[in-house]
Amino acid sequence: MSIDPIAVSILFGGFVVLLLLRVPIALALATSSVGAALWVGLPLPVIGQKLVQSLNSFPLLSIPFFILAGEVMSSGGVARRLIDLANVIVGRFRGGLAMLNVVASTFFGGISGSAVADTSSVGSVMLPMMRKQGYSVPYSVGVTVSSAAQGVLIPPSHNMIIFALAAGGSVSIGGVFVAGLLPGIAVGLLLLVICALLAKRNGHPKGDPISVAGIPRVVWQGSLGLLTPVIVIGGILTGVFTATESAAIACVWSILITFGVYREVPLRELPRMLRRAMSTLSTVLFLIAAAGAYGYLLTVMGVPEALTQLILSVSDNTVVVLLLCNVLLLALGSVMDMAPLILITTPVLLPVVTSVGMDPMQFGVMLILNLAIGLITPPVGSVLFVGSALGGIRVESAIKGVLPFYIPLLIALLLVTFVPQLSLFVPGLLGF
């Protein structure tokens, strides 16, 4: 089907207007899809079929398990133990509490795969500690939210599963999981560097000394939580179980250590955790279904091909094309949430980047990192709002605290974009 300007206007313009009217994103996607389908004469049952087909996927079953595992572990004392473990590693340095925040977020990101969960769990513990030691609240919030942004890269991340599904099976879930490992570590290291520089400039205090006698217990208890990503990735790589089965096993493991080992919350809290996980899941699944229909209409209207030609008409230089894609994703990420953007932009931009030679797995990491930066960027910036609420400060003050941390995040984004092996080395090593 050739490009129909009116149909495209209905699809995009209707979606934007509905968002401005504060209609939920999933409903806006579905409504604009129906309007465009009616205009081009597509039978409405086709849209219904696409809504259902978008959810008819075995790998999609892993998402509810990962969401529940993250919910259980974020409520069961895992964050505090990971903070204790991180304290053993970096707590003794100048600015140790800020570095501790980054390392703890790296650890917890590998469990929850959610920047919001990371901010809520780690921030609720770290922000009072940093305030007590004399760190400014805006700086403390800035460290917390920027380090939480890397959590969506560290495997396992349900956002990577969403990307693999949106890519239409052109990438393996296991491959894109491990593709985020080195970039996630790189983001953490760059954030540690900026924390060390700011600590020296601002005279931040050193952390409290660690009792040598207590280190083995701290390492043991923290390691139990860190085994979650090890079990998931190890099982996938060895072929013991699939990505979906690994998610179920991670869920069982999180329940065992939360209620059987840590025992900070009683077992009667499990139904409440299940309800919260189901609430999150219903939102995610509705988004996936609606975005499936929206993406189908984009494809039949020829929008991805038209956008590819448009960008390449500006320049066929690989660097320019990739920079344009990054600017577009950063702009979109600052006004929309991550999951719907993954579903909407992947089928549109994937043909663009592959036309200039970028590997789909590398694009997945680039896409996720762009949208992670969007999570801490106004005007929407959901993680920024969570962090400012936890710190008890206005969003304007939180933005000032975040500003220095855009530097390492943007450096990491450029590395991911223009150094393919940062994303592809581990997948290539493991045969993906």
Side-chain angles (χ1 to χ4, degrees):
M1 183 179 292
S2 61
I3 289 285
D4 183 334
I6 297 179
V8 173
S9 299
I10 293 172
L11 195 62
F12 286 105
F15 176 63
V16 172
V17 169
L18 289 170
L19 285 184
L20 293 175
L21 293 174
R22 299 185 179 275
V23 174
I25 292 176
L27 193 56
L29 286 168
T31 304
S32 57
S33 298
V34 169
L38 289 172
W39 176 260
V40 299
L42 277 176
L44 285 184
V46 172
I47 301 301
Q49 289 171 359
K50 293 300 174 183
L51 289 170
V52 175
Q53 287 176 6
S54 301
L55 300 178
N56 187 20
S57 170
F58 180 71
L60 196 61
L61 288 173
S62 59
I63 292 181
F65 290 119
F66 279 131
I67 289 175
L68 179 57
E71 179 65 41
V72 170
M73 299 192 81
S74 64
S75 304
V78 176
R80 182 176 59 79
R81 287 170 173 83
L82 292 177
I83 288 170
D84 291 341
L85 177 60
N87 195 30
V88 171
I89 301 171
V90 295
R92 63 185 180 277
F93 300 113
R94 180 169 297 281
L97 268 186
M99 297 181 186
L100 170 58
N101 201 328
V102 173
V103 176
S105 293
T106 303
F107 288 163
F108 196 77
I111 293 171
S112 71
S114 166
V116 172
D118 193 347
T119 303
S120 302
S121 301
V122 176
S124 61
V125 178
M126 288 302 307
L127 288 175
M129 291 173 62
M130 294 182 74
R131 188 197 301 262
K132 187 176 180 181
Q133 283 212 4
Y135 289 83
S136 74
V137 178
Y139 174 78
S140 303
V141 171
V143 175
T144 302
V145 300
S146 57
S147 58
Q150 69 173 319
V152 295
L153 291 174
I154 302 290
S157 169
H158 65 265
N159 291 293
M160 292 295 192
I161 300 172
I162 295 174
F163 166 73
L165 294 171
S170 60
V171 296
S172 73
I173 292 177
V176 79
F177 262 3
V178 295
L181 182 59
L182 288 183
I185 293 172
V187 172
L189 291 175
L190 289 168
L191 289 172
L192 287 175
V193 169
I194 196 71
C195 285
L197 294 174
L198 291 173
K200 185 176 180 179
R201 190 187 74 176
N202 299 329
H204 292 155
K206 293 184 177 181
D208 297 327
I210 308 295
S211 168
V212 176
I215 290 178
R217 178 179 175 82
V218 169
V219 172
W220 163 248
Q221 292 201 341
S223 298
L224 289 176
L226 287 179
L227 276 176
T228 304
V230 173
I231 291 171
V232 171
I233 301 301
I236 293 173
L237 297 182
T238 56
V240 175
F241 36 74
T242 66
T244 303
E245 292 164 347
S246 73
I249 291 170
C251 194
V252 172
W253 174 254
S254 67
I255 291 172
L256 285 176
I257 64 170
T258 297
F259 297 109
V261 180
Y262 295 157
R263 300 182 181 180
E264 283 197 7
V265 293
L267 188 59
R268 65 175 179 271
E269 288 293 312
L270 183 57
R272 187 176 300 176
M273 296 176 187
L274 285 167
R275 285 195 296 271
R276 287 198 295 263
M278 287 299 295
S279 176
T280 302
L281 177 63
S282 62
T283 302
V284 171
L285 292 183
F286 190 10
L287 276 171
I288 291 173
Y294 194 87
Y296 169 73
L297 282 164
L298 286 174
T299 302
V300 298
M301 290 178 184
V303 172
E305 294 84 354
L307 183 63
T308 301
Q309 293 173 7
L310 176 62
I311 292 178
L312 293 178
S313 69
V314 175
S315 174
D316 58 359
N317 184 282
T318 300
V319 174
V320 175
V321 170
L322 295 180
L323 286 176
L324 285 173
C325 290
N326 276 314
V327 170
L328 176 63
L329 289 170
L330 286 172
L332 291 173
S334 67
V335 296
M336 280 183 64
D337 208 359
M338 179 175 285
L341 273 177
I342 294 172
L343 294 162
I344 294 169
T345 58
T346 297
V348 174
L349 291 180
L350 187 56
V352 177
V353 298
T354 53
S355 70
V356 294
M358 176 175 272
D359 186 276
M361 283 191 291
Q362 182 190 359
F363 172 66
V365 178
M366 185 186 89
L367 170 68
I368 299 295
L369 182 52
N370 268 295
L371 303 186
I373 296 172
L375 291 175
I376 62 171
T377 304
V380 176
S382 56
V383 172
L384 185 64
F385 280 91
V386 172
S388 61
L390 287 172
I393 59 174
R394 294 173 60 87
V395 174
E396 293 84 348
S397 299
I399 293 170
K400 293 178 182 178
V402 173
L403 285 177
F405 297 98
Y406 283 119
I407 298 172
L409 290 172
L410 292 175
I411 291 173
L413 178 58
L414 291 174
L415 289 174
V416 166
T417 303
F418 297 111
V419 183
Q421 284 305 304
L422 185 62
S423 304
L424 302 179
F425 176 74
V426 177
L429 191 66
L430 299 173
F432 287 105

